[in-house]
């Protein structure tokens, strides 16, 4: 009997491989194969209008100096961050975003970094079609929790009285679309974006706004101070903030003292008694274990917002 030559063996191998491929193509389809085929197709069943933030879970995290991110606003949203902060300065009639004048550029404005991107996102989240024709409340940015309002803190770095009219005008596109939380005729109506002034935002001018869709970041440690002559409530201040180092001071290493815990609980309770959420800024950023110790103590004692520079770490906390 003649032995098979190497050439003949190669032919048998090619035939065998071909048969295997044919058998696999006509074999039982698995769910994974079906998923892969559908994902690689243009099947409209896999697409829906509000999927821009699909599967993102919103979290009570505040993105400190959000404009420092590689992609401001969008990076925060990708981690489920519910609050972002933009430092704003008025120069020659334009609102620029940056921590100091040396960091400003002509392209980095409040409009380009925050207002226009928010408009684009909210247009995706609020499609106009036969299913939404009778909708009365706009969706927020998060697909998994459309009732969550994104908080935007505007930290005015230049003269607040001068800048405020320009800021109010800048938000007109969002206002016109009905996307701004508003207090009018004694009623607070929450919407997709809640704008809160901080930094040099002028308290008396904000109090005088009617209707009001630009709110005020209240002083967390002074909510009971009668000399401020202000009734602090969510219609004026949905949030109250303070410098953590000044108000508490524990660096996250060793044990926190009873008096430091008492400060946290007192200030948080002062805010909660008024229906206001509490935030401590300038919390330690390093060492990492100290930072997380501070976050843990604040969360356990009622602080509502986790003030963060490292958004990935905060979102996984």
């Amino acid at each position: 009997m003649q032995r098979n030559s190497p050439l003949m063996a190669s032919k048998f191998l090619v035939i065998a491989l071909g048969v295997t491929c044919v058998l696999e193509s006509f074999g039982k389809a698995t769910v994974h194969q079906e998923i892969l085929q559908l994902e690689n197709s243009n099947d409209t069943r896999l697409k829906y209008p509000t999927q821009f933030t699909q599967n993102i879970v919103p979290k009570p995290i505040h993105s400190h100096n959000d404009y420092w991110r590689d992609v401001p606003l969008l990076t925060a949203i990708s981690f489920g961050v519910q609050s972002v902060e933009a430092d704003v300065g008025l120069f020659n009639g334009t609102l620029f975003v940056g921590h100091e004048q040396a960091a400003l550029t002509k392209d980095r404005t409040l409009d380009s970094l925050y207002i226009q991107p928010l408009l684009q996102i909210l247009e995706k989240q609020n499609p106009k079609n036969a299913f939404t024709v009778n909708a009365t409340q706009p969706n927020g940015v998060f697909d998994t929790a459309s009732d969550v309002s994104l908080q935007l803190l505007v930290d005015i770095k230049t003269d607040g009285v001068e800048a405020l009219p320009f800021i109010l005008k800048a938000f007109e596109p969002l206002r016109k679309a009905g996307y701004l939380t508003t207090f009018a005729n004694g009623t607070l109506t929450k919407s997709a974006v809640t704008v809160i002034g901080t930094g040099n935002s002028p308290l008396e001018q904000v109090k005088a706004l009617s209707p009001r869709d630009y709110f005020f970041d209240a002083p967390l440690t002074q909510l009971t101070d009668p000399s401020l002559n202000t009734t602090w409530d969510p219609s004026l201040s949905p949030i109250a903030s303070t410098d953590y180092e000044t108000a508490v001071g524990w660096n996250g290493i060793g044990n926190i003292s009873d008096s430091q815990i008492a400060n946290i609980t007192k200030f948080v309770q002062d805010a909660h008694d008024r229906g206001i959420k509490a935030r401590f800024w300038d919390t330690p950023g390093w060492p990492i274990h100290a930072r997380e110790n501070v976050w843990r103590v604040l969360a356990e004692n009622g602080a509502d917002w986790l003030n963060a520079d490292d958004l990935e770490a905060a979102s996984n906390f």
Side-chain angles (χ1 to χ4, degrees):
M1 182 176 180
Q2 186 178 7
R3 293 183 178 182
N4 293 332
S5 67
L7 180 60
M8 183 68 71
S10 297
K11 288 182 178 179
F12 279 129
L13 178 60
V14 169
I15 293 171
L17 289 173
V19 171
T20 300
C21 291
V22 170
L23 288 174
E24 285 185 355
S25 67
F26 285 94
K28 290 193 300 182
T30 68
V31 65
H32 302 293
Q33 290 171 332
E34 184 75 6
I35 289 171
L36 184 61
Q37 289 175 2
L38 286 169
E39 285 181 339
N40 290 330
S41 73
N42 290 317
D43 196 312
T44 57
R45 294 174 299 169
L46 305 188
K47 302 174 183 178
Y48 60 95
T50 63
Q51 68 184 159
F52 181 75
T53 50
Q54 182 182 15
N55 296 328
I56 297 175
V57 177
K59 308 170 187 71
I61 298 169
H62 174 72
S63 177
H64 173 240
N65 289 347
D66 180 75
Y67 51 89
W68 281 346
R69 314 291 168 203
D70 288 342
V71 181
L73 182 64
L74 296 186
T75 299
I77 290 174
S78 75
F79 285 113
V81 170
Q82 292 177 218
S83 179
V84 296
E85 174 186 332
D87 288 357
V88 173
L90 178 68
F91 295 94
N92 299 320
T94 299
L95 296 164
F96 294 95
V97 172
H99 196 69
E100 54 193 17
Q101 285 184 246
L104 304 182
T105 74
K106 64 181 180 63
D107 295 323
R108 291 171 62 83
T109 66
L110 180 63
D111 186 68
S112 68
L113 291 182
Y114 290 93
I115 295 175
Q116 292 305 319
L118 279 171
L119 274 173
Q120 293 171 13
I121 294 169
L122 291 171
E123 285 175 0
K124 294 175 183 176
Q125 302 306 101
N126 292 277
K128 302 294 189 293
N129 55 45
F131 299 101
T132 63
V133 67
N134 294 319
T136 58
Q137 183 70 22
N139 292 329
V141 301
F142 296 108
D143 182 52
T144 58
S146 60
D147 61 333
V148 169
S149 182
L150 182 76
Q151 183 172 266
L152 172 56
L153 265 63
V154 177
D155 187 339
I156 302 179
K157 293 300 185 183
T158 53
D159 182 84
V161 174
E162 180 186 15
L164 184 58
F166 290 87
I167 292 172
L168 296 176
K169 183 179 179 182
F171 280 101
E172 178 58 25
L174 290 166
R175 181 180 300 114
K176 185 177 180 181
Y179 293 147
L180 296 183
T181 295
T182 304
F183 177 69
N185 301 317
T187 300
L188 182 66
T189 304
K190 190 172 72 170
S191 195
V193 180
T194 301
V195 182
I196 300 173
T198 189
N200 291 334
S201 291
L203 175 57
E204 294 305 315
Q205 282 74 14
V206 174
K207 288 165 66 174
L209 293 175
S210 182
R212 180 186 300 128
D213 54 24
Y214 182 91
F215 299 87
F216 191 82
D217 185 14
L220 182 59
T221 59
Q222 297 175 277
L223 296 177
T224 60
D225 186 346
S227 68
L228 295 181
N229 193 31
T230 299
T231 299
W232 301 107
D233 61 44
S235 70
L236 175 64
S237 298
I239 184 174
S241 305
T242 193
D243 184 340
Y244 171 85
E245 177 64 27
T246 302
V248 182
W250 179 56
N251 64 5
I253 300 173
N255 295 322
I256 187 170
S257 69
D258 291 342
S259 62
Q260 289 169 325
I261 288 285
N263 280 346
I264 295 173
T265 56
K266 178 192 183 310
F267 298 138
V268 168
Q269 193 60 51
D270 286 345
H272 290 179
D273 286 346
R274 293 159 176 79
I276 297 172
K277 292 186 175 182
R279 176 178 71 105
F280 294 85
W281 50 270
D282 197 25
T283 52
W286 191 88
I288 301 304
H289 74 276
R291 177 191 68 189
E292 295 190 352
N293 286 340
V294 171
W295 283 352
R296 186 173 296 105
V297 166
L298 289 175
E300 289 174 351
N301 287 279
D304 300 284
W305 291 101
L306 193 65
N307 203 80
D309 290 297
D310 187 337
L311 299 185
E312 183 174 7
S315 68
N316 291 323
F317 177 67

